Amino acid sequence: MRVVQRGFGRPADVLSLEASAPDVLHPGQLRVQVEAAPILPMDHLRVRGLYPLAQETPGVPGSVGVGRVLEGPDPWLGSRVVLPMRSGSWASERVVPVDGTLRLTHEVDPVAASLLRVNGLTAQALLDGLDRGSWVAMNAATGGVGTFVLALARRMGVNVVAVARREEALEGLREAGAALALVDDDGWPEAARQALGEPVHRALDGVGGASTERLGALLADGGRIVSFGAMSRESPRVRVSDGVYRGVLLQGFWLNRLDRMRGDFETGRILNRMVELGIEGRVDSTWALDDLHAALERDRSPERRGRVVLVPGTVWS
Ligand SMILES: NC(=O)c1ccc[n+]([C@@H]2O[C@H](COP(=O)([O-])OP(=O)(O)OC[C@H]3O[C@@H](n4cnc5c(N)ncnc54)[C@H](OP(=O)(O)O)[C@@H]3O)[C@@H](O)[C@H]2O)c1
């Protein structure tokens, strides 16, 4: 079984679950039984045709997946692997190139491992180079990336100022290790500055718009905002008083560019290190492929807490 996307638009209009004959396996390829495939913000964008790396149509959506190699050369056969990015993970079985496939070297729950490829590796890159005892601020702290930022920062001894749009999320952020958790309103940068008494040199922005401005207002002179997402659908912006007079920088980050620069070996090494250290994200719920539309609905629900993950091996019909 596989989800097939025909055209771009609302999921109900362009996605259907279809039975399929097994794909032919060629040299340099692996047949993988997909065990877990998270639904990511980029998947919604690709279904609607709004992501820079377009979904092929007709084609199988699903940017990230983890599974077991059913057919392929040694040492891959029987291994648990992370599928290459955007290889169509919303299916019970996929034939994928060896290039871009990452072998998981430790025994790990496939659902937990499926969160690492995008959310985990993005968080790791966003924190890269920060010293123990330093401070970082971030918005969208309750999200998939934010959850990994908190888990990794705790491990690295980096202090996080976490902001979220919901008051009721703050207690959970503190429990997850945030040194300071605040609602993302106009007053928070000043409140944080007074509470910290320490300079913050890096801020991580997954929201854009006025939320980016507020991160910039907290930063020390010459500090850097790393923009990785725009959940508000607004471009990030920096106030003239921060950007011009205080040298606050705005820099973009895209995991796709980093993947290309560092290659599969290094990407796999870092991902496996996170498994080894027990760095985990948060799973909201798991769904069989048959329940795709309910899973997509859940993913858009304000009640969602963590990642919604498809478990394609479980098809009930
Ligand atoms: N550049 C890259 O390489 C890269 C890699 C990974 C992700 N991303 C992007 O980063 C962003 C976050 O990804 P994610 O996986 O963490 O997403 P996620 O798990 O779906 O979480 C979304 C987060 O954004 C918040 N949010 C949603 N709508 C918002 C709005 N209108 N205003 C303010 N906050 C809002 C949510 O807060 P609530 O808890 O209040 O709902 C939650 O914290 C997405 O845009 C994604 O595409 C980029």
Side-chain angles (χ1 to χ4, degrees):
M1 299 297 284
R2 57 177 61 175
V3 177
V4 177
Q5 179 174 341
R6 296 177 197 283
F8 300 101
R10 293 188 318 127
D13 298 333
V14 299
L15 300 182
S16 53
L17 189 62
E18 299 181 9
S20 53
D23 292 323
V24 178
L25 188 77
H26 295 290
Q29 293 184 325
L30 307 167
R31 187 183 307 285
V32 180
Q33 178 188 13
V34 182
E35 297 173 294
I39 298 175
L40 298 173
M42 79 163 100
D43 291 315
H44 288 284
L45 295 174
R46 296 187 87 224
V47 169
R48 288 173 190 271
L50 300 173
Y51 197 71
L53 300 171
Q55 169 71 44
E56 193 178 288
T57 71
V60 181
S63 304
V64 170
V66 163
R68 186 73 80 177
V69 177
L70 298 174
E71 225 181 310
D74 282 336
W76 295 94
L77 188 61
S79 301
R80 182 162 278 143
V81 294
V82 180
L83 301 185
M85 287 295 299
R86 295 170 297 279
S87 52
S89 57
W90 296 359
S92 47
E93 194 182 290
R94 292 302 280 158
V95 165
V96 296
V98 166
D99 277 356
T101 302
L102 309 176
R103 201 151 69 90
L104 288 161
T105 52
H106 301 76
E107 217 20 74
V108 57
D109 168 49
V111 171
S114 72
L115 273 48
L116 289 165
R117 181 65 182 88
V118 166
N119 285 170
L121 288 175
T122 298
Q124 187 276 333
L126 293 173
L127 293 174
D128 196 34
L130 286 172
D131 293 327
R132 182 168 287 276
S134 63
W135 287 81
V136 67
M138 92 168 302
N139 57 21
T142 53
V145 175
T147 305
F148 273 104
V149 164
L150 286 165
L152 277 163
R154 179 180 256 178
R155 176 87 204 180
M156 294 164 69
V158 167
N159 305 296
V160 181
V161 181
V163 296
R165 58 180 175 166
R166 291 177 290 110
E167 170 97 46
E168 64 273 21
L170 301 186
E171 194 48 45
L173 293 174
R174 289 183 198 111
E175 280 166 18
L180 197 60
L182 298 162
V183 172
D184 191 358
D185 59 19
D186 285 342
W188 84 258
E190 186 50 37
R193 201 175 296 110
Q194 284 180 13
L196 300 185
E198 297 273 349
V200 182
H201 295 287
R202 192 182 300 182
L204 314 176
D205 175 30
V207 176
S211 184
T212 319
E213 284 189 345
R214 293 190 282 270
L215 289 172
L218 173 72
L219 286 183
D221 291 9
R224 183 160 51 110
I225 305 168
V226 185
S227 159
F228 65 95
M231 290 303 297
S232 66
R233 308 245 163 150
E234 285 183 59
S235 293
R237 48 179 201 256
V238 179
R239 290 176 194 151
V240 171
S241 53
D242 296 320
V244 174
Y245 303 137
R246 301 198 307 106
V248 168
L249 297 172
L250 178 64
Q251 178 188 26
F253 169 82
W254 194 23
L255 184 64
N256 181 53
R257 291 187 68 227
L258 180 62
D259 280 349
R260 282 188 276 128
M261 281 189 282
R262 68 181 169 192
D264 294 346
F265 181 82
E266 184 61 3
T267 301
R269 189 189 67 76
I270 296 169
L271 191 147
N272 277 303
R273 181 72 181 137
M274 280 197 277
V275 173
E276 207 180 342
L277 295 174
I279 305 292
E280 288 194 357
R282 185 169 173 194
V283 176
D284 172 86
S285 49
T286 56
W287 302 75
L289 267 192
D290 306 47
D291 293 328
L292 173 75
H293 290 287
L296 288 166
E297 207 50 52
R298 174 69 191 175
D299 195 59
R300 280 189 296 265
S301 154
E303 306 302 315
R304 171 171 69 87
R305 300 287 177 262
R307 204 79 279 149
V308 171
V309 183
L310 298 169
V311 284
T314 323
V315 178
W316 304 112
S317 62

